[in-house]
Amino acid sequence: MFIGRERELEALNQLYRSDQFEFTVIYGRRRVGKTALINQFIQDKKAIYFMGVESNSRQNLENLSRNIMEYSVNMQTETVFSSFQAALEYVFLLSQKERLILVIDEYPYVARSSKSLASTLQLLIDQYKDSSRLMLILCGSSMSYMEDHVLAYKAPLYGRRTAQMKILPFDFEDASRYFKNFSDEEKALIYGVAGGTPQYLLQMNDQMSIEDNIKNTFLNPTSFLFEEPEYLLKQEVREPALYNAIITAIATGASHMAEISSKVDESTSVCAAYLNNLISLGLVQKETPYGEKVSRKSIYSIGDNMFRFWYRFIPSNSSIIARGAADLAWKRIEPNLSDYMGKVFEEICMQYLWKLLLKGESPVEFCGLGRWWGTDASTHSQMEVDIMGVQEPDTALFGECKWTNEKVDLSVLEKLVYRSRLFHYSHTHLYLFAKSGFTEACMKAADQAGNITLVSYTDMLHCFLYGTGNYIP
């Protein structure tokens, strides 16, 4: 089942239709669906697909040769080219006669085993780009390698690519499309637990309850999700132990640099370097209060839902999970799920607001969205706004998100109104999001105000999945 990636597919098809030399770099974290995207793209086209392996140069050359000859003579053969240059030059010559795609998947494996491969590609591109109709795709899961050795200024291939795609996990809209049988609430819960990485979503079964899905994956020692975060770190970084300690520190409440540094017993300079790598992998995000470019109030949080769920609940229960006590582990997790979902719901609400903006249906044409936290000057108390966005010069959007089983009351709306007035914008529009709807008093006050939109989670989900919902009153 192939879902989503419509923009990426259209971009690739547009490049293909140029009928001239194109060089596309596709990269992204493991399990995010890069290979599935490529296979979907090339399924009805003339293409040579080669998957690099973590082996020596000879093994990769043999595999590439086999793939080339299977395409060229339409049969398996033991012919092996004398070198990567000979093999690739043969492909460039083939592409002078017809539109042809060459995919080198897991390119870092091949390039590490053959140190001259990048320079060879550089040479052949420069020699044949004007006469070739080849569409070359290099794909890799090692984010740092692709950025440093393919895309970077000092890399041999710099300046040769005609496009690049960083493949990210699905948003809530695409993730929800995987599941026909989950209830509305279950779709949000499964996104909060598995995130938007396709391979993780495929581990979930919409014929089962959320409880059984979690027991079958995260609370099952034989499931690959039980050890996936630690495995992925080992694949991506050189010192997984310290990275693991940093993520654990954040998951257990340390959000400021000083707190993280203290918990892992490393200097802030060391932690900063490691955190930057985790940010580039999409596993950690750095936040500053909305509107502040550089702030001592910056905080760190886990940016991937599956990692956030895993580090929040699995390490502290790993001993009982290893002993097969999934029921006991679930009893410890389940009471905390609603609180855990608060941040996930904020993320879904932000995605909804972006969707409205892109559809031209937002009352505020903001340039970005984020959280704000700071001090109320009049009361000296700490305040927080779940969502804030600004349209220059004098218009702002403020949002509050409530993932609770109770209907949101007037008092919540009044707090949002008060906090919006801390900023002194002439024009404001307020959004109040609720999992379970609103009380009569809240709806009446919102209707009278004229600049307040109440959005239930059900309306939001219908907007995502069917293009319908209550956008603006």
Side-chain angles (χ1 to χ4, degrees), residues 311-335:
Y311 278 95
R312 169 68 177 81
F313 295 113
I314 304 309
S316 59
N317 291 295
S318 59
S319 295
I320 61 174
I321 295 170
R323 287 165 174 77
D327 290 341
L328 177 57
W330 171 251
K331 282 184 179 180
R332 295 180 179 181
I333 293 170
E334 195 272 337

Side-chain angles (χ1 to χ4, degrees), residues 285-473:
Q285 59 187 10
K286 181 180 180 180
E287 295 180 272
T288 56
Y290 184 88
E292 300 183 23
K293 298 295 185 184
V294 179
S295 175
R296 297 177 66 182
K297 293 184 286 186
S298 295
I299 61 173
Y300 295 88
S301 60
I302 299 177
D304 179 273
N305 285 342
M306 192 281 285
F307 273 71
R308 195 161 69 87
F309 179 84
W310 193 94
Y311 278 95
R312 169 68 177 81
F313 295 113
I314 304 309
S316 59
N317 291 295
S318 59
S319 295
I320 61 174
I321 295 170
R323 287 165 174 77
D327 290 341
L328 177 57
W330 171 251
K331 282 184 179 180
R332 295 180 179 181
I333 293 170
E334 195 272 337
N336 298 294
L337 264 185
S338 182
D339 178 64
Y340 168 83
M341 282 297 296
K343 184 172 175 59
V344 177
F345 190 49
E346 288 179 18
E347 177 190 347
I348 293 172
C349 294
M350 285 193 190
Q351 292 177 17
Y352 171 83
L353 290 172
W354 276 110
K355 187 175 182 69
L356 293 192
L357 179 72
L358 297 176
K359 288 167 66 72
E361 297 173 349
S362 174
V364 177
E365 294 183 357
F366 52 84
C367 295
L369 292 174
R371 288 195 302 141
W372 178 89
W373 58 96
T375 304
D376 180 351
S378 61
T379 64
H380 303 289
S381 58
Q382 291 297 305
M383 292 287 177
E384 183 174 327
V385 177
D386 290 343
I387 301 175
M388 182 175 174
V390 172
Q391 175 185 340
E392 298 295 348
D394 204 24
T395 302
L397 175 154
F398 298 91
E400 179 78 10
C401 313
K402 292 295 181 184
W403 184 263
T404 62
N405 291 327
E406 298 78 31
K407 290 186 176 181
V408 172
D409 200 1
L410 177 59
S411 61
V412 177
L413 178 56
E414 290 173 338
K415 287 180 182 177
L416 177 59
V417 171
Y418 176 83
R419 292 172 185 179
S420 72
R421 290 173 178 165
L422 296 173
F423 296 87
H424 310 295
Y425 287 98
S426 298
H427 308 284
T428 60
H429 196 97
L430 312 186
Y431 273 90
L432 190 53
F433 299 94
K435 170 190 173 185
S436 306
F438 309 89
T439 63
E440 289 292 336
C442 185
M443 290 189 288
K444 183 177 179 181
D447 187 56
Q448 291 173 345
N451 70 328
I452 297 172
T453 300
L454 305 182
V455 185
S456 71
Y457 166 66
T458 300
D459 283 339
M460 199 164 21
L461 182 62
H462 285 190
C463 171
F464 281 131
L465 298 183
Y466 312 116
T468 61
N470 296 330
Y471 306 135
I472 304 170

Side-chain angles (χ1 to χ4, degrees), residues 21-23 92 118-132 134 136 138 156-157 159-162:
F21 176 76
E22 301 286 358
F23 172 23
F92 272 93
S119 297
T120 297
L121 278 170
Q122 174 192 3
L123 173 70
L124 293 173
I125 290 170
D126 291 346
Q127 181 177 350
Y128 290 104
K129 64 182 179 180
D130 294 330
S131 61
S132 168
L134 181 68
L136 172 64
L138 299 188
L157 291 171
R160 274 78 181 174
R161 73 182 185 278
T162 55

Side-chain angles (χ1 to χ4, degrees), residues 97-137:
K97 303 173 184 176
E98 59 184 1
R99 188 53 160 165
L100 178 61
I101 302 168
L102 171 63
V103 178
I104 303 181
D105 203 348
E106 291 301 351
Y107 171 77
Y109 288 158
V110 192
R112 287 188 183 115
S113 70
S114 177
K115 303 299 184 184
S116 62
L117 179 59
S119 297
T120 297
L121 278 170
Q122 174 192 3
L123 173 70
L124 293 173
I125 290 170
D126 291 346
Q127 181 177 350
Y128 290 104
K129 64 182 179 180
D130 294 330
S131 61
S132 168
R133 297 164 62 193
L134 181 68
M135 183 171 180
L136 172 64
I137 298 176

Side-chain angles (χ1 to χ4, degrees), residues 178-194:
Y178 267 88
F179 306 110
K180 306 293 185 185
N181 298 306
F182 279 143
S183 68
D184 288 354
E185 181 177 344
E186 286 174 330
K187 285 175 177 155
L189 287 167
I190 215 69
Y191 179 68
V193 167

